[in-house]
Amino acid sequence: MLAYLQNLTFWDWLALGTVLLILEVFGAGGYLLWIGVAAAGVGVLTYVIPETPWALQFILFGSLSILTAVFWWRRQRSAEHVAGHSGLNSRGQELQGRQFTLHEAIVGGRGKIKAGDSLWLVIGPDMPVGTPVEVIGQDGVLLKVRAVAL
């Protein structure tokens, strides 16, 4: 076994990288992807510098595996942080604090405003069409509005 390890070629590293990438396809969650990339990187290095000692190859493989896994982990954490504030399923929150003109009068506590190319149902005190209103909250799909003092 030691004789095999002492005579590793770039093909061995590329084969290991390929096997790891194939295993990643079956759902390893990203970890084997980066370890496979590290193995391929060592394979490229041993192609460029074929006399690289086997111990250095393993040190490089371990170091690259750790570095790429940490890089992936940090990137995933930052992506989760950004995704947590995406506004998905709460589109009305982005309208809070903005002012609009009533598109349909609020009668019986309900009316409509036009925000961009969408009509939104609003609730608030009765007001005529054209009244400037400010969105102050959201109740499900209904936006809460109040009249804006001019």
Side-chain angles (χ1 to χ4, degrees):
M1 181 69 162
L2 187 59
Y4 177 73
L5 293 177
Q6 291 175 343
N7 296 310
L8 286 174
T9 65
F10 71 95
W11 287 115
D12 297 315
W13 288 108
L14 293 178
L16 176 63
T18 302
V19 167
L20 290 170
L21 292 175
I22 289 170
L23 290 173
E24 174 62 36
V25 170
F26 294 109
Y31 290 105
L32 292 181
L33 170 71
W34 296 109
I35 296 172
V37 167
V42 173
V44 169
L45 178 74
T46 56
Y47 178 75
V48 174
I49 308 171
E51 58 276 348
T52 306
W54 69 275
L56 182 59
Q57 291 178 25
F58 278 99
I59 290 170
L60 285 171
F61 174 65
S63 300
L64 284 174
S65 296
I66 290 170
L67 287 174
T68 55
V70 167
F71 168 75
W72 174 81
W73 179 76
R74 291 184 80 187
R75 183 151 192 236
Q76 285 296 104
R77 297 273 300 185
S78 67
E80 289 172 5
H81 180 69
V82 170
H85 301 291
S86 69
L88 184 63
N89 294 331
S90 59
R91 288 185 49 217
Q93 288 182 355
E94 66 191 27
L95 301 176
Q96 288 186 21
R98 292 182 54 196
Q99 295 182 5
F100 300 95
T101 304
L102 279 178
H103 186 73
E104 288 184 16
I106 299 179
V107 178
R110 290 184 181 243
K112 291 184 182 178
I113 60 169
K114 187 167 187 163
D117 61 349
S118 301
L119 287 176
W120 286 82
L121 293 171
V122 295
I123 54 175
D126 289 354
M127 292 178 258
V129 173
T131 304
V133 294
E134 178 184 8
V135 178
I136 58 171
Q138 183 178 6
D139 183 17
V141 297
L142 301 173
L143 297 177
K144 297 177 184 178
V145 296
R146 69 173 173 211
V148 176
L150 295 176

